[in-house]
């Protein structure tokens, strides 16, 4: 393997570079970029003789390996992504997101409008894509700016960074879910991603809030006074759901997953809750089942007179939102399957011995750097999460990130968090979210770079620092 190992690393680097060039330079959709790069890597691996012997199936049927990898990852995570996006769409369309926002504002109070915007952004973006969340909450941001006299750029940046923090870290947002599945975290381990990602994302949101308060107050917004007020935006909804009903589709699935994880916790040679009841709780906490219950609770938010056609339209919109995530995730799974078909992980392991020469901190820095490179080059945080996690999965043992802490897949959880921090760095002109934030906040490009782009850099680096501290403690 010694003569093919360096060539394999070069082939992998070239394939990653191809993804960056195709997405960044030629604006090709990440799905096609990943598929083409997967074929390129597979053909290069064959050409240098890195795949032979027991791996003849890979050589003889590259297309079959790609199809198998595509299907297997969607089988494990596809329904979770679909259910999560449908929940988010229904929350948006029924006005539940407005209820959540107003609830946060009541708790924080109007004396701290920037903090209120950051927190409500963080809450809303757990189930709702950050782009949609910003559109939904921007009327409230503008209305509060008028009522309090606060600079719209400050409030807009605080809202954007709050949304962005949970979007890149906290399931059931599709990106983090896909990343967890890609690195090999099973359904029983997803709750640990949620529990660790919440504090990391709150730290990232706090960093964005501090940047908004201290560095954007002198920036000017070009918002016209005729913009829709929050009250006008609310008037499109016949009746807003109560806070309890608005929270239920988000909180109940998380609670069920937590209960299922606790029930399956090893104890005395069995599990903490044995028998039929234990199996029932474990099944109920499976993310697919838990999020399906979340979907049903979301459908309960529909107004009594809402016709079935509108509901079908909303669900269809959610499925459309999920489609790009699904195909990118599947393509990432295909890339991972081809990587696994080569001895590249064995070669890396031979370079670093038993992994003792690579600290957990160094491994997390590597994953952060790769995710940051992909995010900055092609613009999509979700794509960066999926691609990096796909590349990382076969290498986790060699990087020393396959360790367990009891029943917690701590190495994989830390890997997802490091990748999430990298996927924040940075939001600029090739990111659709950059334009949503700048246009709805009245920022020109220069102002948006000083506010949104700089803030996401600070968020990513702050989140990384916190993840490295967690890695030093738990790995």
């Amino acid at each position: 393997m010694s003569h093919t190992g360096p060539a394999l690393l070069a082939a992998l680097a070239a394939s990653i570079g191809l993804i960056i060039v195709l997405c960044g330079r030629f604006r090709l959709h990440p799905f096609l970029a990943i598929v083409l790069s997967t074929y390129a890597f597979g053909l290069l691996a064959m050409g240098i003789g890195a795949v032979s012997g027991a791996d003849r199936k890979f050589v003889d049927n590259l297309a079959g390996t790609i199809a198998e990898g595509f299907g297997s990852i969607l089988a494990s995570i596809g329904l979770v992504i679909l259910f999560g996006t449908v929940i988010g769409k229904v929350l948006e369309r029924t006005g539940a997101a407005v209820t959540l926002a107003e609830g946060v504002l009541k708790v924080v109070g109007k004396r701290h409008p920037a903090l209120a915007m950051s927190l409500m952004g963080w809450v809303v973006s757990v189930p709702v894509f950050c782009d949609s969340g910003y559109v939904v909450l921007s009327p409230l941001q503008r209305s509060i700016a008028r009522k309090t006299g606060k600079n719209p750029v400050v409030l807009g940046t605080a809202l954007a960074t709050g949304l962005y923090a949970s979007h890149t870290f906290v399931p059931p947002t599709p990106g983090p879910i896909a990343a967890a599945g890609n690195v090999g975290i099973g359904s029983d381990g997803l709750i640990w991603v949620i529990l660790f990602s919440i504090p990391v994302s709150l730290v990232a949101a706090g960093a964005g809030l501090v940047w908004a308060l201290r560095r954007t107050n002198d920036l000017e917004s070009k918002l016209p006074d005729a913009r829709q007020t929050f009250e006008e935006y609310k008037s499109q909804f016949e009746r807003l759901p109560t806070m309890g009903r608005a929270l239920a589709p988000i909180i109940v699935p998380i609670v069920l997953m937590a209960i299922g994880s606790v029930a399956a916790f090893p104890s005395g040679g069995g599990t903490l809750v044995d028998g039929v009841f234990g199996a029932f709780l474990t099944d109920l906490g499976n993310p697919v089942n838990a999020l399906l219950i979340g979907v049903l609770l979301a459908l309960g938010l529909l107004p009594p007179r809402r016709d079935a056609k509108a509901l079908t339209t909303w669900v269809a919109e959610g499925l459309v939102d999920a489609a790009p995530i699904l195909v990118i995730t599947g393509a990432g799974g295909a890339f991972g399957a081809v990587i696994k078909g080569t001895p590249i992980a064995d070669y890396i392991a031979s370079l670093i011995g038993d992994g003792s020469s690579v600290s957990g901190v160094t491994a997390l820095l590597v994953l952060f750097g790769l995710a940051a490179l992909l995010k900055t080059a092609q613009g999509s945080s979700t794509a960066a999460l999926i691609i990096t996690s796909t590349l990382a999965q076969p290498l986790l043992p060699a990087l020393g990130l396959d360790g367990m802490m009891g029943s917690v897949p701590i190495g994989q959880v830390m890997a997802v968090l490091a990748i999430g921090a990298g996927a924040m760095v940075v939001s600029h002109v090739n990111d659709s979210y950059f334009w949503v934030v700048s246009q709805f906040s009245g920022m020109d490009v220069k102002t948006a770079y000083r506010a949104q782009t700089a803030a996401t850099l600070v968020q990513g680096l702050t989140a990384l620092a916190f993840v490295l501290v967690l890695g030093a403690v738990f790995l």
Side-chain angles (χ1 to χ4, degrees), residues 86-406:
V86 170
I87 290 172
K89 182 57 65 176
V90 175
L91 290 181
E92 176 187 341
R93 290 296 196 174
T94 58
V98 174
T99 298
L100 295 174
E102 289 191 314
V104 172
L105 188 60
K106 289 178 182 177
V107 172
V108 177
K110 295 182 180 179
R111 290 180 300 174
H112 306 285
L115 174 59
M117 298 309 301
S118 178
L119 287 177
M120 71 178 63
W122 186 92
V123 170
V124 168
S125 198
V126 172
V128 179
F129 282 102
C130 58
D131 306 65
S132 300
Y134 200 92
V135 173
V136 169
L137 295 177
S138 59
L140 177 58
Q141 173 243 318
R142 293 190 294 267
S143 179
I144 291 177
R146 292 191 187 94
K147 290 178 181 178
T148 62
K150 197 73 174 178
N151 186 338
V153 175
V154 174
L155 298 186
T157 304
L159 174 60
T161 52
L163 287 158
Y164 198 50
S166 54
H167 173 79
T168 52
F169 283 112
V170 186
T173 306
I177 287 180
N182 286 344
V183 300
I185 295 177
S187 58
D188 57 340
L190 187 60
I191 186 62
W192 297 110
V193 178
I194 295 174
L195 293 178
F196 275 93
S197 66
I198 287 175
V200 174
S201 63
L202 287 173
V203 167
L209 174 62
V210 171
W211 181 267
L213 289 171
R214 296 189 177 183
R215 297 293 182 180
T216 67
N217 204 39
D218 60 336
L219 302 180
E220 294 185 3
S221 169
K222 301 183 183 299
L223 276 179
D225 291 336
R227 291 277 185 165
Q228 183 185 41
T229 67
F230 186 64
E231 287 73 19
E232 291 169 340
Y233 178 79
K234 282 175 57 179
S235 67
Q236 68 181 286
F237 302 105
E238 295 178 15
R239 184 175 59 189
L240 293 176
T242 63
M243 177 60 71
R245 295 179 65 207
L247 274 175
I250 306 171
I251 297 299
V252 170
I254 293 175
V255 171
L256 291 176
M257 283 187 277
I259 292 173
S261 181
V262 171
F265 199 83
S267 176
T271 57
L272 197 61
V273 183
D274 288 320
V276 176
F277 185 59
F280 171 75
L281 291 179
T282 302
D283 243 1
L284 200 61
N286 183 292
V288 173
N289 297 330
L291 283 170
L292 176 59
I293 292 172
V295 170
L296 297 177
L297 291 171
L299 297 183
L301 298 172
L302 295 173
R305 295 191 298 274
R306 179 63 63 184
D307 58 60
K309 183 178 179 181
L311 170 59
T312 301
T313 301
W314 294 351
V315 173
E317 289 174 354
L319 298 180
V320 169
D321 287 346
I325 310 296
L326 289 172
V327 296
I328 294 172
T329 301
F335 200 173
V338 173
I339 293 173
K340 290 177 187 177
T342 72
I344 190 169
D346 295 334
Y347 175 68
I348 293 175
S350 71
L351 291 178
I352 61 179
D354 60 1
S356 59
S357 60
V358 176
S359 69
V361 168
T362 301
L364 295 176
L365 282 171
V366 170
L367 297 181
F368 169 85
L370 180 56
L373 176 64
L374 287 165
K375 161 63 181 176
T376 303
Q378 53 79 41
S380 168
S381 293
T382 301
L385 279 159
I386 294 170
I387 297 170
T388 308
S389 57
T390 298
L391 298 172
Q393 196 276 334
L395 308 178
L396 292 183
L399 294 173
L401 293 177
D402 60 339
M404 298 289 291
M405 186 178 69

